[in-house]
Amino acid sequence: MDVVVSAVVFDIGGVLLDWDPRHLYRQLFDGDEDAMERFLTQVCTPGWHAAQDLGYSIERACRELAAEHPGQAELILTWARRTEDMISGPVPGTAAVLAELKQRGVRCYALSNMEAETFPVRLRRYEFLRQLDGHVISGLERVAKPDPRIYRLLLDRYQLAAGQTLFIDDKQANVMAAREVGMRAVRFESAPALRAQLVTMGLLAG
């Protein structure tokens, strides 16, 4: 007999909110995709940003990086000044899925790699995030996915049984890490595909 899922855990960026620095920098580079990609892979790199997801100050990180690259200082400092412009809005359809789950009495949580400063802003800005029963945010905890400690922190904090908890993330490495700690996990592709999976699991009506 299949195990009943009693809680669903959402990633935020890439699942609930469409976060991508390209939403901002495409404007600043006037559509020059090559120049933008060089900047995002050689200056404001994913590795540089990862430290912010672990709690390092966005403002401080940008000031330090701007000192290393004075010719691109304004572009770097804009990362901190206009961080909310990296979000184009909710990912289409997933807020409705969250609302359906809540209506059916399913407990829902967030487990997200996100800066400590930005999460409170987004919680105020997007009302549907306040439907969540709880959250674990990497920048506040100073540990990030796919480190197994952050998954265990979520399970312990909200007294969730790993085998009865479904985790949804757009990155396969994070999905695999959730499975390693005993959670059920699926990779997010689209809201319709996710809803179909939840129907199959008996969490939503067909």
Side-chain angles (χ1 to χ4, degrees), residues 27-140:
Q27 304 169 38
L28 301 179
F29 281 92
D30 294 321
D32 187 336
E33 294 284 323
D34 291 340
M36 178 187 70
E37 291 299 333
R38 283 195 298 273
F39 178 78
L40 294 175
T41 56
Q42 298 175 18
V43 182
C44 288
T45 67
W48 169 78
H49 179 245
Q52 298 161 49
D53 281 345
L54 287 169
Y56 198 75
S57 163
I58 303 172
E59 288 282 354
R60 183 174 178 181
C62 288
R63 287 198 307 270
E64 290 172 349
L65 191 64
E68 295 175 20
H69 301 271
Q72 295 178 294
E74 191 60 29
L75 286 168
I76 294 166
L77 294 171
T78 300
W79 184 289
R81 295 169 184 161
R82 296 181 57 187
T83 185
E84 290 310 291
D85 289 339
M86 297 179 192
I87 297 177
S88 67
V91 171
T94 49
V97 170
L98 169 61
E100 278 191 81
L101 287 167
K102 291 296 296 176
Q103 287 167 6
R104 291 175 67 87
V106 179
R107 289 178 294 162
C108 295
Y109 302 88
L111 174 59
S112 189
N113 287 355
M114 187 179 293
E115 311 92 336
E117 303 98 318
T118 58
F119 177 68
V121 174
R122 290 164 192 173
L123 198 59
R124 291 192 299 270
R125 184 179 175 192
Y126 297 100
E127 184 178 1
F128 74 91
L129 293 178
R130 299 197 290 276
Q131 297 180 56
L132 294 163
D133 294 289
H135 57 264
V136 169
I137 303 299
S138 67
L140 298 173

Side-chain angles (χ1 to χ4, degrees), residues 173-187:
N174 296 339
V175 169
M176 296 304 294
R179 291 175 181 166
E180 287 293 322
V181 300
M183 299 171 73
R184 302 180 69 171
V186 296
R187 185 173 183 179

